[in-house]
PDB file of all heavy atoms in Angstrom:
ATOM      1  N   ARG Y 737       0.832  -1.209   0.000  1.00 97.00           N
ATOM      2  CA  ARG Y 737       0.000   0.000   0.000  1.00 97.00           C
ATOM      3  C   ARG Y 737       0.865   1.256   0.000  1.00 97.00           C
ATOM      4  O   ARG Y 737       0.571   2.237  -0.700  1.00 97.00           O
ATOM      5  CB  ARG Y 737      -0.913  -0.004   1.229  1.00 97.00           C
ATOM      6  CG  ARG Y 737      -1.722   1.279   1.414  1.00 97.00           C
ATOM      7  CD  ARG Y 737      -2.810   1.413   0.374  1.00 97.00           C
ATOM      8  NE  ARG Y 737      -3.575   2.631   0.550  1.00 97.00           N
ATOM      9  CZ  ARG Y 737      -3.293   3.802  -0.032  1.00 97.00           C
ATOM     10  NH1 ARG Y 737      -2.239   3.899  -0.838  1.00 97.00           N
ATOM     11  NH2 ARG Y 737      -4.039   4.858   0.180  1.00 97.00           N
ATOM     12  N   ILE Y 738       1.965   1.234   0.756  1.00 98.00           N
ATOM     13  CA  ILE Y 738       2.847   2.398   0.834  1.00 98.00           C
ATOM     14  C   ILE Y 738       3.529   2.656  -0.501  1.00 98.00           C
ATOM     15  O   ILE Y 738       3.482   3.769  -1.037  1.00 98.00           O
ATOM     16  CB  ILE Y 738       3.901   2.196   1.940  1.00 98.00           C
ATOM     17  CG1 ILE Y 738       3.233   2.184   3.316  1.00 98.00           C
ATOM     18  CG2 ILE Y 738       4.960   3.297   1.886  1.00 98.00           C
ATOM     19  CD1 ILE Y 738       4.146   1.718   4.426  1.00 98.00           C
ATOM     20  N   VAL Y 739       4.146   1.645  -1.039  1.00 97.00           N
ATOM     21  CA  VAL Y 739       4.931   1.828  -2.256  1.00 97.00           C
ATOM     22  C   VAL Y 739       4.024   2.164  -3.441  1.00 97.00           C
ATOM     23  O   VAL Y 739       4.345   3.036  -4.258  1.00 97.00           O
ATOM     24  CB  VAL Y 739       5.780   0.565  -2.536  1.00 97.00           C
ATOM     25  CG1 VAL Y 739       6.501   0.696  -3.861  1.00 97.00           C
ATOM     26  CG2 VAL Y 739       6.788   0.372  -1.401  1.00 97.00           C
ATOM     27  N   THR Y 740       2.890   1.501  -3.527  1.00 96.00           N
ATOM     28  CA  THR Y 740       1.937   1.824  -4.591  1.00 96.00           C
ATOM     29  C   THR Y 740       1.446   3.259  -4.454  1.00 96.00           C
ATOM     30  O   THR Y 740       1.385   4.013  -5.428  1.00 96.00           O
ATOM     31  CB  THR Y 740       0.746   0.857  -4.561  1.00 96.00           C
ATOM     32  OG1 THR Y 740       1.213  -0.478  -4.749  1.00 96.00           O
ATOM     33  CG2 THR Y 740      -0.260   1.198  -5.644  1.00 96.00           C
ATOM     34  N   GLY Y 741       1.111   3.640  -3.227  1.00 97.00           N
ATOM     35  CA  GLY Y 741       0.621   4.995  -2.996  1.00 97.00           C
ATOM     36  C   GLY Y 741       1.654   6.058  -3.287  1.00 97.00           C
ATOM     37  O   GLY Y 741       1.349   7.098  -3.893  1.00 97.00           O
ATOM     38  N   LEU Y 742       2.902   5.840  -2.874  1.00 97.00           N
ATOM     39  CA  LEU Y 742       3.965   6.800  -3.154  1.00 97.00           C
ATOM     40  C   LEU Y 742       4.169   6.951  -4.659  1.00 97.00           C
ATOM     41  O   LEU Y 742       4.331   8.069  -5.175  1.00 97.00           O
ATOM     42  CB  LEU Y 742       5.270   6.357  -2.495  1.00 97.00           C
ATOM     43  CG  LEU Y 742       5.307   6.349  -0.962  1.00 97.00           C
ATOM     44  CD1 LEU Y 742       6.644   5.803  -0.472  1.00 97.00           C
ATOM     45  CD2 LEU Y 742       5.071   7.737  -0.398  1.00 97.00           C
ATOM     46  N   GLY Y 743       4.164   5.823  -5.354  1.00 95.00           N
ATOM     47  CA  GLY Y 743       4.353   5.873  -6.800  1.00 95.00           C
ATOM     48  C   GLY Y 743       3.246   6.634  -7.502  1.00 95.00           C
ATOM     49  O   GLY Y 743       3.494   7.449  -8.403  1.00 95.00           O
ATOM     50  N   GLU Y 744       2.005   6.379  -7.088  1.00 96.00           N
ATOM     51  CA  GLU Y 744       0.879   7.067  -7.719  1.00 96.00           C
ATOM     52  C   GLU Y 744       0.921   8.565  -7.451  1.00 96.00           C
ATOM     53  O   GLU Y 744       0.673   9.384  -8.354  1.00 96.00           O
ATOM     54  CB  GLU Y 744      -0.432   6.475  -7.198  1.00 96.00           C
ATOM     55  CG  GLU Y 744      -0.691   5.049  -7.666  1.00 96.00           C
ATOM     56  CD  GLU Y 744      -1.931   4.448  -7.028  1.00 96.00           C
ATOM     57  OE1 GLU Y 744      -2.476   5.077  -6.085  1.00 96.00           O
ATOM     58  OE2 GLU Y 744      -2.353   3.356  -7.459  1.00 96.00           O
ATOM     59  N   VAL Y 745       1.238   8.953  -6.228  1.00 97.00           N
ATOM     60  CA  VAL Y 745       1.287  10.381  -5.885  1.00 97.00           C
ATOM     61  C   VAL Y 745       2.383  11.084  -6.670  1.00 97.00           C
ATOM     62  O   VAL Y 745       2.167  12.166  -7.244  1.00 97.00           O
ATOM     63  CB  VAL Y 745       1.494  10.554  -4.365  1.00 97.00           C
ATOM     64  CG1 VAL Y 745       1.903  11.987  -4.037  1.00 97.00           C
ATOM     65  CG2 VAL Y 745       0.226  10.195  -3.615  1.00 97.00           C
ATOM     66  N   GLN Y 746       3.567  10.494  -6.725  1.00 96.00           N
ATOM     67  CA  GLN Y 746       4.659  11.159  -7.437  1.00 96.00           C
ATOM     68  C   GLN Y 746       4.435  11.159  -8.946  1.00 96.00           C
ATOM     69  O   GLN Y 746       4.837  12.097  -9.627  1.00 96.00           O
ATOM     70  CB  GLN Y 746       5.996  10.507  -7.077  1.00 96.00           C
ATOM     71  CG  GLN Y 746       6.427  10.820  -5.645  1.00 96.00           C
ATOM     72  CD  GLN Y 746       7.870  10.457  -5.363  1.00 96.00           C
ATOM     73  OE1 GLN Y 746       8.334   9.393  -5.762  1.00 96.00           O
ATOM     74  NE2 GLN Y 746       8.575  11.336  -4.668  1.00 96.00           N
ATOM     75  N   GLN Y 747       3.785  10.146  -9.454  1.00 95.00           N
ATOM     76  CA  GLN Y 747       3.498  10.128 -10.890  1.00 95.00           C
ATOM     77  C   GLN Y 747       2.514  11.230 -11.262  1.00 95.00           C
ATOM     78  O   GLN Y 747       2.654  11.891 -12.303  1.00 95.00           O
ATOM     79  CB  GLN Y 747       2.942   8.759 -11.293  1.00 95.00           C
ATOM     80  CG  GLN Y 747       2.722   8.620 -12.805  1.00 95.00           C
ATOM     81  CD  GLN Y 747       2.281   7.217 -13.188  1.00 95.00           C
ATOM     82  OE1 GLN Y 747       1.903   6.425 -12.335  1.00 95.00           O
ATOM     83  NE2 GLN Y 747       2.348   6.909 -14.469  1.00 95.00           N
ATOM     84  N   ARG Y 748       1.530  11.476 -10.396  1.00 96.00           N
ATOM     85  CA  ARG Y 748       0.514  12.488 -10.696  1.00 96.00           C
ATOM     86  C   ARG Y 748       0.986  13.908 -10.379  1.00 96.00           C
ATOM     87  O   ARG Y 748       0.658  14.847 -11.098  1.00 96.00           O
ATOM     88  CB  ARG Y 748      -0.765  12.211  -9.897  1.00 96.00           C
ATOM     89  CG  ARG Y 748      -1.544  11.001 -10.353  1.00 96.00           C
ATOM     90  CD  ARG Y 748      -2.975  11.045  -9.814  1.00 96.00           C
ATOM     91  NE  ARG Y 748      -3.011  11.208  -8.356  1.00 96.00           N
ATOM     92  CZ  ARG Y 748      -3.082  10.196  -7.501  1.00 96.00           C
ATOM     93  NH1 ARG Y 748      -3.094   8.951  -7.958  1.00 96.00           N
ATOM     94  NH2 ARG Y 748      -3.138  10.418  -6.204  1.00 96.00           N
ATOM     95  N   HIS Y 749       1.768  14.059  -9.294  1.00 97.00           N
ATOM     96  CA  HIS Y 749       2.036  15.400  -8.780  1.00 97.00           C
ATOM     97  C   HIS Y 749       3.517  15.765  -8.720  1.00 97.00           C
ATOM     98  O   HIS Y 749       3.840  16.900  -8.363  1.00 97.00           O
ATOM     99  CB  HIS Y 749       1.435  15.547  -7.376  1.00 97.00           C
ATOM    100  CG  HIS Y 749      -0.041  15.264  -7.307  1.00 97.00           C
ATOM    101  ND1 HIS Y 749      -0.983  16.129  -7.805  1.00 97.00           N
ATOM    102  CD2 HIS Y 749      -0.724  14.200  -6.809  1.00 97.00           C
ATOM    103  CE1 HIS Y 749      -2.201  15.631  -7.602  1.00 97.00           C
ATOM    104  NE2 HIS Y 749      -2.067  14.454  -6.999  1.00 97.00           N
ATOM    105  N   GLY Y 750       4.409  14.851  -9.051  1.00 96.00           N
ATOM    106  CA  GLY Y 750       5.831  15.153  -9.006  1.00 96.00           C
ATOM    107  C   GLY Y 750       6.496  14.653  -7.741  1.00 96.00           C
ATOM    108  O   GLY Y 750       5.847  14.269  -6.774  1.00 96.00           O
ATOM    109  N   ARG Y 751       7.830  14.666  -7.749  1.00 96.00           N
ATOM    110  CA  ARG Y 751       8.596  14.092  -6.633  1.00 96.00           C
ATOM    111  C   ARG Y 751       8.305  14.783  -5.306  1.00 96.00           C
ATOM    112  O   ARG Y 751       8.237  14.148  -4.259  1.00 96.00           O
ATOM    113  CB  ARG Y 751      10.089  14.174  -6.932  1.00 96.00           C
ATOM    114  CG  ARG Y 751      10.540  13.306  -8.094  1.00 96.00           C
ATOM    115  CD  ARG Y 751      12.019  13.517  -8.343  1.00 96.00           C
ATOM    116  NE  ARG Y 751      12.435  12.842  -9.563  1.00 96.00           N
ATOM    117  CZ  ARG Y 751      13.314  13.332 -10.421  1.00 96.00           C
ATOM    118  NH1 ARG Y 751      13.866  14.511 -10.187  1.00 96.00           N
ATOM    119  NH2 ARG Y 751      13.650  12.661 -11.497  1.00 96.00           N
ATOM    120  N   ASP Y 752       8.156  16.128  -5.324  1.00 98.00           N
ATOM    121  CA  ASP Y 752       7.967  16.856  -4.077  1.00 98.00           C
ATOM    122  C   ASP Y 752       6.569  16.700  -3.507  1.00 98.00           C
ATOM    123  O   ASP Y 752       6.254  17.302  -2.471  1.00 98.00           O
ATOM    124  CB  ASP Y 752       8.265  18.341  -4.291  1.00 98.00           C
ATOM    125  CG  ASP Y 752       9.750  18.606  -4.517  1.00 98.00           C
ATOM    126  OD1 ASP Y 752      10.562  17.754  -4.103  1.00 98.00           O
ATOM    127  OD2 ASP Y 752      10.089  19.654  -5.098  1.00 98.00           O
ATOM    128  N   ALA Y 753       5.734  15.903  -4.152  1.00 98.00           N
ATOM    129  CA  ALA Y 753       4.402  15.627  -3.612  1.00 98.00           C
ATOM    130  C   ALA Y 753       4.449  14.627  -2.463  1.00 98.00           C
ATOM    131  O   ALA Y 753       3.433  14.372  -1.816  1.00 98.00           O
ATOM    132  CB  ALA Y 753       3.477  15.109  -4.709  1.00 98.00           C
ATOM    133  N   VAL Y 754       5.629  14.056  -2.197  1.00 98.00           N
ATOM    134  CA  VAL Y 754       5.831  13.172  -1.048  1.00 98.00           C
ATOM    135  C   VAL Y 754       6.722  13.887  -0.042  1.00 98.00           C
ATOM    136  O   VAL Y 754       7.720  14.520  -0.417  1.00 98.00           O
ATOM    137  CB  VAL Y 754       6.471  11.837  -1.474  1.00 98.00           C
ATOM    138  CG1 VAL Y 754       6.839  11.001  -0.257  1.00 98.00           C
ATOM    139  CG2 VAL Y 754       5.517  11.060  -2.373  1.00 98.00           C
ATOM    140  N   ALA Y 755       6.383  13.802   1.231  1.00 98.00           N
ATOM    141  CA  ALA Y 755       7.156  14.454   2.289  1.00 98.00           C
ATOM    142  C   ALA Y 755       7.457  13.458   3.399  1.00 98.00           C
ATOM    143  O   ALA Y 755       6.778  12.436   3.550  1.00 98.00           O
ATOM    144  CB  ALA Y 755       6.389  15.652   2.849  1.00 98.00           C
ATOM    145  N   VAL Y 756       8.494  13.792   4.174  1.00 98.00           N
ATOM    146  CA  VAL Y 756       8.912  12.968   5.311  1.00 98.00           C
ATOM    147  C   VAL Y 756       9.008  13.876   6.532  1.00 98.00           C
ATOM    148  O   VAL Y 756       9.536  14.983   6.451  1.00 98.00           O
ATOM    149  CB  VAL Y 756      10.276  12.300   5.040  1.00 98.00           C
ATOM    150  CG1 VAL Y 756      10.734  11.498   6.259  1.00 98.00           C
ATOM    151  CG2 VAL Y 756      10.201  11.406   3.808  1.00 98.00           C
ATOM    152  N   PHE Y 757       8.483  13.405   7.662  1.00 98.00           N
ATOM    153  CA  PHE Y 757       8.530  14.177   8.909  1.00 98.00           C
ATOM    154  C   PHE Y 757       9.118  13.299   9.998  1.00 98.00           C
ATOM    155  O   PHE Y 757       8.588  12.230  10.305  1.00 98.00           O
ATOM    156  CB  PHE Y 757       7.129  14.643   9.299  1.00 98.00           C
ATOM    157  CG  PHE Y 757       7.122  15.774  10.294  1.00 98.00           C
ATOM    158  CD1 PHE Y 757       7.412  17.064   9.888  1.00 98.00           C
ATOM    159  CD2 PHE Y 757       6.836  15.550  11.631  1.00 98.00           C
ATOM    160  CE1 PHE Y 757       7.407  18.127  10.797  1.00 98.00           C
ATOM    161  CE2 PHE Y 757       6.828  16.592  12.548  1.00 98.00           C
ATOM    162  CZ  PHE Y 757       7.113  17.891  12.131  1.00 98.00           C
ATOM    163  N   GLY Y 758      10.252  13.725  10.544  1.00 97.00           N
ATOM    164  CA  GLY Y 758      10.974  12.925  11.528  1.00 97.00           C
ATOM    165  C   GLY Y 758      10.824  13.455  12.937  1.00 97.00           C
ATOM    166  O   GLY Y 758       9.964  14.285  13.239  1.00 97.00           O
ATOM    167  N   GLY Y 759      11.715  12.984  13.822  1.00 96.00           N
ATOM    168  CA  GLY Y 759      11.602  13.334  15.234  1.00 96.00           C
ATOM    169  C   GLY Y 759      12.940  13.501  15.916  1.00 96.00           C
ATOM    170  O   GLY Y 759      13.938  12.881  15.534  1.00 96.00           O
ATOM    171  N   GLY Y 760      12.962  14.325  16.945  1.00 94.00           N
ATOM    172  CA  GLY Y 760      14.169  14.575  17.721  1.00 94.00           C
ATOM    173  C   GLY Y 760      14.520  13.476  18.696  1.00 94.00           C
ATOM    174  O   GLY Y 760      15.509  13.578  19.416  1.00 94.00           O
ATOM    175  N   GLY Y 761      13.719  12.410  18.733  1.00 95.00           N
ATOM    176  CA  GLY Y 761      14.047  11.268  19.571  1.00 95.00           C
ATOM    177  C   GLY Y 761      14.662  10.121  18.795  1.00 95.00           C
ATOM    178  O   GLY Y 761      15.072   9.116  19.390  1.00 95.00           O
ATOM    179  N   LEU Y 762      14.727  10.237  17.465  1.00 97.00           N
ATOM    180  CA  LEU Y 762      15.321   9.180  16.657  1.00 97.00           C
ATOM    181  C   LEU Y 762      16.832   9.138  16.857  1.00 97.00           C
ATOM    182  O   LEU Y 762      17.473  10.168  17.064  1.00 97.00           O
ATOM    183  CB  LEU Y 762      15.015   9.419  15.176  1.00 97.00           C
ATOM    184  CG  LEU Y 762      13.543   9.483  14.764  1.00 97.00           C
ATOM    185  CD1 LEU Y 762      13.423   9.745  13.267  1.00 97.00           C
ATOM    186  CD2 LEU Y 762      12.803   8.203  15.147  1.00 97.00           C
ATOM    187  N   THR Y 763      17.415   7.949  16.767  1.00 97.00           N
ATOM    188  CA  THR Y 763      18.871   7.830  16.894  1.00 97.00           C
ATOM    189  C   THR Y 763      19.561   8.557  15.743  1.00 97.00           C
ATOM    190  O   THR Y 763      18.942   8.885  14.723  1.00 97.00           O
ATOM    191  CB  THR Y 763      19.298   6.355  16.867  1.00 97.00           C
ATOM    192  OG1 THR Y 763      18.947   5.797  15.591  1.00 97.00           O
ATOM    193  CG2 THR Y 763      18.654   5.570  17.992  1.00 97.00           C
ATOM    194  N   ASN Y 764      20.856   8.798  15.896  1.00 97.00           N
ATOM    195  CA  ASN Y 764      21.627   9.411  14.815  1.00 97.00           C
ATOM    196  C   ASN Y 764      21.533   8.587  13.539  1.00 97.00           C
ATOM    197  O   ASN Y 764      21.433   9.142  12.438  1.00 97.00           O
ATOM    198  CB  ASN Y 764      23.092   9.546  15.232  1.00 97.00           C
ATOM    199  CG  ASN Y 764      23.296  10.595  16.296  1.00 97.00           C
ATOM    200  OD1 ASN Y 764      22.687  11.652  16.269  1.00 97.00           O
ATOM    201  ND2 ASN Y 764      24.159  10.292  17.269  1.00 97.00           N
ATOM    202  N   GLU Y 765      21.578   7.278  13.690  1.00 97.00           N
ATOM    203  CA  GLU Y 765      21.527   6.405  12.519  1.00 97.00           C
ATOM    204  C   GLU Y 765      20.195   6.562  11.782  1.00 97.00           C
ATOM    205  O   GLU Y 765      20.146   6.615  10.548  1.00 97.00           O
ATOM    206  CB  GLU Y 765      21.731   4.944  12.938  1.00 97.00           C
ATOM    207  CG  GLU Y 765      23.125   4.614  13.448  1.00 97.00           C
ATOM    208  CD  GLU Y 765      23.371   5.064  14.888  1.00 97.00           C
ATOM    209  OE1 GLU Y 765      22.409   5.511  15.568  1.00 97.00           O
ATOM    210  OE2 GLU Y 765      24.515   4.962  15.350  1.00 97.00           O
ATOM    211  N   LYS Y 766      19.107   6.639  12.538  1.00 97.00           N
ATOM    212  CA  LYS Y 766      17.795   6.770  11.904  1.00 97.00           C
ATOM    213  C   LYS Y 766      17.603   8.160  11.306  1.00 97.00           C
ATOM    214  O   LYS Y 766      17.021   8.301  10.221  1.00 97.00           O
ATOM    215  CB  LYS Y 766      16.702   6.436  12.912  1.00 97.00           C
ATOM    216  CG  LYS Y 766      16.687   4.959  13.280  1.00 97.00           C
ATOM    217  CD  LYS Y 766      15.453   4.556  14.046  1.00 97.00           C
ATOM    218  CE  LYS Y 766      15.465   4.979  15.476  1.00 97.00           C
ATOM    219  NZ  LYS Y 766      14.357   4.396  16.258  1.00 97.00           N
ATOM    220  N   ALA Y 767      18.073   9.194  11.999  1.00 96.00           N
ATOM    221  CA  ALA Y 767      17.969  10.552  11.453  1.00 96.00           C
ATOM    222  C   ALA Y 767      18.748  10.659  10.142  1.00 96.00           C
ATOM    223  O   ALA Y 767      18.277  11.251   9.167  1.00 96.00           O
ATOM    224  CB  ALA Y 767      18.492  11.562  12.472  1.00 96.00           C
ATOM    225  N   TYR Y 768      19.948  10.088  10.129  1.00 97.00           N
ATOM    226  CA  TYR Y 768      20.770  10.092   8.912  1.00 97.00           C
ATOM    227  C   TYR Y 768      20.079   9.322   7.789  1.00 97.00           C
ATOM    228  O   TYR Y 768      19.977   9.796   6.650  1.00 97.00           O
ATOM    229  CB  TYR Y 768      22.130   9.468   9.224  1.00 97.00           C
ATOM    230  CG  TYR Y 768      22.989   9.206   8.001  1.00 97.00           C
ATOM    231  CD1 TYR Y 768      23.744  10.232   7.441  1.00 97.00           C
ATOM    232  CD2 TYR Y 768      23.040   7.942   7.419  1.00 97.00           C
ATOM    233  CE1 TYR Y 768      24.533   9.994   6.313  1.00 97.00           C
ATOM    234  CE2 TYR Y 768      23.818   7.700   6.304  1.00 97.00           C
ATOM    235  CZ  TYR Y 768      24.564   8.727   5.755  1.00 97.00           C
ATOM    236  OH  TYR Y 768      25.338   8.497   4.641  1.00 97.00           O
ATOM    237  N   ALA Y 769      19.593   8.123   8.106  1.00 96.00           N
ATOM    238  CA  ALA Y 769      18.950   7.295   7.085  1.00 96.00           C
ATOM    239  C   ALA Y 769      17.684   7.948   6.554  1.00 96.00           C
ATOM    240  O   ALA Y 769      17.378   7.860   5.361  1.00 96.00           O
ATOM    241  CB  ALA Y 769      18.623   5.915   7.660  1.00 96.00           C
ATOM    242  N   LEU Y 770      16.940   8.630   7.428  1.00 96.00           N
ATOM    243  CA  LEU Y 770      15.711   9.278   6.995  1.00 96.00           C
ATOM    244  C   LEU Y 770      16.009  10.407   6.004  1.00 96.00           C
ATOM    245  O   LEU Y 770      15.320  10.552   4.988  1.00 96.00           O
ATOM    246  CB  LEU Y 770      14.972   9.819   8.215  1.00 96.00           C
ATOM    247  CG  LEU Y 770      13.450   9.938   8.122  1.00 96.00           C
ATOM    248  CD1 LEU Y 770      12.824   8.583   7.863  1.00 96.00           C
ATOM    249  CD2 LEU Y 770      12.901  10.543   9.403  1.00 96.00           C
ATOM    250  N   GLY Y 771      17.052  11.203   6.310  1.00 97.00           N
ATOM    251  CA  GLY Y 771      17.428  12.263   5.386  1.00 97.00           C
ATOM    252  C   GLY Y 771      17.894  11.732   4.048  1.00 97.00           C
ATOM    253  O   GLY Y 771      17.549  12.270   2.989  1.00 97.00           O
ATOM    254  N   LYS Y 772      18.675  10.671   4.086  1.00 96.00           N
ATOM    255  CA  LYS Y 772      19.148  10.073   2.837  1.00 96.00           C
ATOM    256  C   LYS Y 772      17.990   9.432   2.068  1.00 96.00           C
ATOM    257  O   LYS Y 772      17.891   9.560   0.839  1.00 96.00           O
ATOM    258  CB  LYS Y 772      20.226   9.032   3.135  1.00 96.00           C
ATOM    259  CG  LYS Y 772      20.827   8.401   1.875  1.00 96.00           C
ATOM    260  CD  LYS Y 772      21.917   7.395   2.228  1.00 96.00           C
ATOM    261  CE  LYS Y 772      22.486   6.750   0.962  1.00 96.00           C
ATOM    262  NZ  LYS Y 772      23.470   5.696   1.273  1.00 96.00           N
ATOM    263  N   PHE Y 773      17.109   8.771   2.784  1.00 96.00           N
ATOM    264  CA  PHE Y 773      15.949   8.134   2.153  1.00 96.00           C
ATOM    265  C   PHE Y 773      15.097   9.165   1.414  1.00 96.00           C
ATOM    266  O   PHE Y 773      14.682   8.947   0.271  1.00 96.00           O
ATOM    267  CB  PHE Y 773      15.124   7.433   3.228  1.00 96.00           C
ATOM    268  CG  PHE Y 773      13.852   6.813   2.735  1.00 96.00           C
ATOM    269  CD1 PHE Y 773      13.855   5.578   2.115  1.00 96.00           C
ATOM    270  CD2 PHE Y 773      12.644   7.473   2.914  1.00 96.00           C
ATOM    271  CE1 PHE Y 773      12.677   5.004   1.660  1.00 96.00           C
ATOM    272  CE2 PHE Y 773      11.458   6.905   2.461  1.00 96.00           C
ATOM    273  CZ  PHE Y 773      11.471   5.671   1.832  1.00 96.00           C
TER     274      PHE Y 773
END
């Protein structure tokens, strides 16, 4: 459901139509991976 939904949204509205919102409690590894992702 996630991957299909992301693909459909970006196909219709462009890459910036998907956003990511993180948290100040995530480990350094997760914060880094989230930014890279």
